[in-house]
Amino acid sequence: MALIEHSNLEEYEDPVNYDLEFDGEMDKYQFYLELAKSSPGEVLELACGTGLTTIPISKAGITITGVDISSAMLAYARLKAEGLTVTFMEGDARTFESDKRFSMIYLTGNAFQAFLSNQDQIDLLTTVHKHLHPGGIFAFETRNPNGTDLSDQEETEWGSFIDKDGNNVKVSGTQCYDASQHIMHWVTMRDWGYKRTTSRIACRFTDSDTLNSLLTRHGFRIEHQYADWDKTPFSALSSSIISVCRKTDG
């Protein structure tokens, strides 16, 4: 999943190691696959990145298109998807245009938080609404600000992964929250042993009441909201808001 602010794209310049760090969320892949199966027709994933979720859905025999703003991520997605009937397109989710209409559109990887202004969010929802069939499904997840530690933090260990060359890469980072804009600024440091890299990312936090009002105003009815991929009902302090919506008008 590639974010839309210029600095956010720093996280997506190394797609092979991106997959090694972030792949393996099988519960999430299954969640979106089940949704796609429940809404027969073509599926669109916005901010698809390297196709971590797109490809499993394609392998299940569902016709799917993935759109992302990062050419590097898409190049690796196409390589991984060779032989599959999946289409990858470079584009911005705020301005994407297609003659196709889809039975389901989704974003994952908390990609909704990449849309950092009110207008960005409106433009995204306008794109989704325009490209859904009447009654089509729109699904996405976002971190819940009321269930997230938004305090400023100095460098903290976040974990590690094994890179494409077999190196153990230690991951750490800092966070700084701009409460006036509801935007978290993360700086991620990766220690490769022989080098140390730094990348920045910014994500907007939208509380559940604001989110639900936004969705309703732009033509979506919320059918379900969950706290996790096991479909635990969302509560005020859940760490995630997983929303499954339906387009309510033509």
Side-chain angles (χ1 to χ4, degrees), residues 190-227:
R190 295 178 176 89
D191 186 348
W192 306 76
Y194 61 94
K195 67 176 181 178
R196 181 177 167 92
T197 61
T198 300
S199 63
R200 298 162 293 160
I201 197 168
C203 290
R204 185 179 189 185
F205 280 77
T206 305
D207 67 78
S208 60
D209 289 344
T210 302
L211 180 65
N212 295 351
S213 176
L214 180 71
L215 290 165
T216 300
R217 289 200 312 272
H218 291 89
F220 298 98
R221 181 180 72 253
I222 300 167
E223 294 200 332
H224 303 286
Q225 284 187 320
Y226 303 115

Side-chain angles (χ1 to χ4, degrees), residues 23-57:
D23 194 7
E25 296 182 89
M26 303 308 296
D27 291 348
K28 180 175 77 174
Y29 306 157
Q30 188 63 32
F31 178 90
Y32 284 109
L33 175 57
E34 289 177 3
L35 267 186
K37 287 180 175 179
S38 73
S39 184
E42 294 195 37
V43 175
L44 172 66
E45 180 181 5
L46 297 172
C48 68
T50 63
L52 290 176
T53 313
T54 328
I55 290 172
I57 290 175

Side-chain angles (χ1 to χ4, degrees), residues 101-118:
R101 297 297 177 263
F102 300 88
S103 62
M104 172 177 152
I105 299 176
Y106 73 99
L107 300 88
T108 190
N110 295 308
F112 185 84
Q113 293 185 251
F115 301 88
L116 300 181
S117 70
N118 291 340

Side-chain angles (χ1 to χ4, degrees), residues 165-177:
D165 299 315
N167 298 303
N168 182 57
V169 182
K170 297 178 181 179
V171 183
S172 60
T174 66
Q175 68 178 42
C176 180
Y177 187 61

Side-chain angles (χ1 to χ4, degrees), residues 46 93-95 105 107 112 115 118-132 138-140 210-220 245 247:
L46 297 172
R94 297 168 295 183
T95 57
I105 299 176
L107 300 88
F112 185 84
F115 301 88
N118 291 340
Q119 192 59 53
D120 286 341
Q121 291 182 340
I122 291 168
D123 289 345
L124 167 67
L125 294 179
T126 300
T127 293
V128 173
H129 195 274
K130 178 178 180 179
H131 289 89
L132 270 180
F138 173 43
F140 65 100
T210 302
L211 180 65
N212 295 351
S213 176
L214 180 71
L215 290 165
T216 300
R217 289 200 312 272
H218 291 89
F220 298 98
C245 313
K247 181 175 174 178

Side-chain angles (χ1 to χ4, degrees), residues 60-61 71 86 90 108 123 149 154-155 181 184 210 217 219 241:
S71 58
V86 54
E90 187 171 343
T108 190
D123 289 345
D149 181 359
E154 298 298 321
E155 185 174 353
Q181 301 295 320
M184 177 68 79
T210 302
R217 289 200 312 272
I241 311 170

Side-chain angles (χ1 to χ4, degrees), residues 66-119:
V67 174
D68 200 275
I69 201 169
S70 168
S71 58
M73 300 286 271
L74 288 173
Y76 190 47
R78 293 186 182 106
L79 180 66
K80 295 193 301 177
E82 187 174 354
L84 297 175
T85 55
V86 54
T87 302
F88 288 107
M89 301 174 61
E90 187 171 343
D92 187 324
R94 297 168 295 183
T95 57
F96 174 72
E97 291 282 350
S98 174
D99 293 334
K100 285 188 175 183
R101 297 297 177 263
F102 300 88
S103 62
M104 172 177 152
I105 299 176
Y106 73 99
L107 300 88
T108 190
N110 295 308
F112 185 84
Q113 293 185 251
F115 301 88
L116 300 181
S117 70
N118 291 340
Q119 192 59 53

